[in-house]
Amino acid sequence: MNDKLNNYLNEIFSSYEGVRTVGELREELGKDLDERLEDLKKQGFDEETAYAKTLDSIGDIEETIADLAAQSRALQRKVITNFSQINLPDSDFKGVTVHDGKFESSNLKGSDFSNSDLTNSSFKNSDLREVIFDGSNLTNAKLTMVDLRKSSFQNCILENTDFSSSDLHEVKFDGAKLTGTKLAKADLSKTTFESCVFVGTDFNSSYLKGVILDNQTFDSVKFDRAALVATSFKKAVFRNCSFHWTDARKAVFDGATMDKLTYAVLKGSKAILKNVTIV
């Protein structure tokens, strides 16, 4: 290749080393421009004129390269792979996009999935202790029968996410959107739920001993058969919630507001409702 042309291409492509598709463009473009340059010289143009016309023929190539690099990097972040039954503790998955991903029966302890899109992914039977999911989208994800002790789901989208039969001891759900989320048959002791959205959340048969749920609003939430020993609902708001077959005698409802149906169910569960507002 012409040295001057080669130096020009090296300069404009230097910022994109390691981007595979851009590297391929560099190789193809180099061949095309070299052929173009030689054709112009054969037509009688001097070296400088032929070089200038060769560069004019490709237009704003730098903008094209930048667009291609951006698209390539976006695709590289879409991890489409199967991590099932793999030992990957302390891995960095920050910001990945993994739709329908498989992470089943894997060791991912201490890994970081913060700000990721994990829609429809499955983590069944995996070791997810101390894993960070903060800011991630886990819509329709399956995290059943998973060890999640001391993991964090702060500010996550957990719409229809299934945590059934998992160990959620000391997990942080602060700021999470728990819409249609299944937390059935789960150990939620020492778990935190500050400033969460609870709509259609299912706590059926879960262990909520000592959990603080003060000042929260619960809309169509199920607490059927849940263990509510020393569970605190101070100043909480309940709308169409269910406490069937639940022993609520040791739960705290001071200052709570609830509709008549929820009140009737809790009264049947022998809850102490002296300082409750019925609407």
Side-chain angles (χ1 to χ4, degrees):
M1 180 185 294
N2 178 275
D3 290 340
K4 189 174 181 180
L5 187 58
N6 189 52
N7 291 335
Y8 168 75
L9 292 175
N10 285 340
E11 182 179 347
I12 64 174
F13 279 91
S14 61
S15 299
Y16 305 100
E17 292 183 5
V19 182
R20 183 176 59 82
T21 53
V22 174
E24 293 173 353
L25 176 62
R26 164 69 173 83
E27 185 177 349
E28 293 175 7
L29 185 61
K31 292 178 181 179
D32 291 343
L33 293 181
D34 197 43
E35 291 176 2
R36 173 66 172 163
L37 179 63
E38 292 302 316
D39 286 342
L40 289 169
K41 288 165 66 176
K42 288 177 181 179
Q43 293 174 32
F45 293 100
D46 60 65
E47 183 78 26
E48 290 301 319
T49 302
Y51 178 76
K53 284 183 172 292
T54 298
L55 296 189
D56 287 343
S57 70
I58 60 176
D60 191 353
I61 188 62
E62 293 187 45
E63 183 178 348
T64 301
I65 296 168
D67 290 342
L68 180 62
Q71 294 173 23
S72 180
R73 286 167 175 160
L75 287 172
Q76 287 175 0
R77 296 181 72 84
K78 288 191 175 183
V79 183
I80 306 175
T81 188
N82 190 337
F83 287 99
S84 295
Q85 299 181 7
I86 291 180
N87 188 34
L88 290 171
D90 303 308
S91 295
D92 182 1
F93 294 105
K94 289 183 288 188
V96 299
T97 297
V98 190
H99 290 183
D100 304 297
K102 299 294 183 183
F103 298 86
E104 298 178 357
S105 303
S106 293
N107 177 15
L108 296 164
K109 180 183 177 183
S111 295
D112 190 346
F113 284 90
S114 57
N115 301 308
S116 295
D117 186 350
L118 300 164
T119 302
N120 295 321
S121 293
S122 178
F123 294 83
K124 293 179 181 178
N125 302 302
S126 288
D127 184 351
L128 299 179
R129 288 174 293 168
E130 302 173 25
V131 173
I132 300 172
F133 289 97
D134 297 348
S136 293
N137 183 354
L138 284 150
T139 298
N140 294 321
K142 300 290 187 295
L143 294 99
T144 55
M145 296 180 285
V146 171
D147 190 345
L148 283 158
R149 285 174 290 174
K150 296 185 178 180
S151 290
S152 182
F153 293 87
Q154 296 183 86
N155 302 307
C156 281
I157 299 173
L158 301 172
E159 186 172 350
N160 298 320
T161 307
D162 193 349
F163 291 95
S164 298
S165 302
S166 291
D167 190 341
L168 298 165
H169 181 75
E170 292 189 67
V171 170
K172 294 180 180 179
F173 283 107
D174 305 336
K177 295 181 179 179
L178 298 159
T179 303
T181 308
K182 294 182 180 179
L183 294 159
K185 300 179 182 178
D187 181 358
L188 295 160
S189 53
K190 296 187 178 180
T191 298
T192 60
F193 292 96
E194 294 184 13
S195 303
C196 287
V197 174
F198 294 97
V199 178
T201 315
D202 186 356
F203 288 100
N204 186 9
S205 302
S206 283
Y207 186 74
L208 289 157
K209 181 179 179 180
V211 174
I212 306 298
L213 294 165
D214 298 343
N215 303 300
Q216 304 282 5
T217 297
F218 301 96
D219 193 343
S220 302
V221 175
K222 295 179 181 179
F223 292 98
D224 301 343
R225 299 185 177 88
L228 301 179
V229 178
T231 307
S232 181
F233 295 98
K234 292 180 180 178
K235 298 182 179 180
V237 176
F238 296 92
R239 303 189 185 104
N240 192 34
C241 293
S242 174
F243 290 85
H244 296 300
W245 306 287
T246 300
D247 185 349
R249 289 176 296 178
K250 295 183 179 180
V252 181
F253 293 94
D254 290 350
T257 300
M258 58 189 68
D259 60 272
K260 293 181 179 179
L261 289 175
T262 302
Y263 177 84
V265 173
L266 281 171
K267 187 176 180 180
S269 298
K270 301 180 180 180
I272 298 175
L273 304 172
K274 292 181 180 179
N275 188 28
V276 166
T277 300
I278 304 172
V279 293

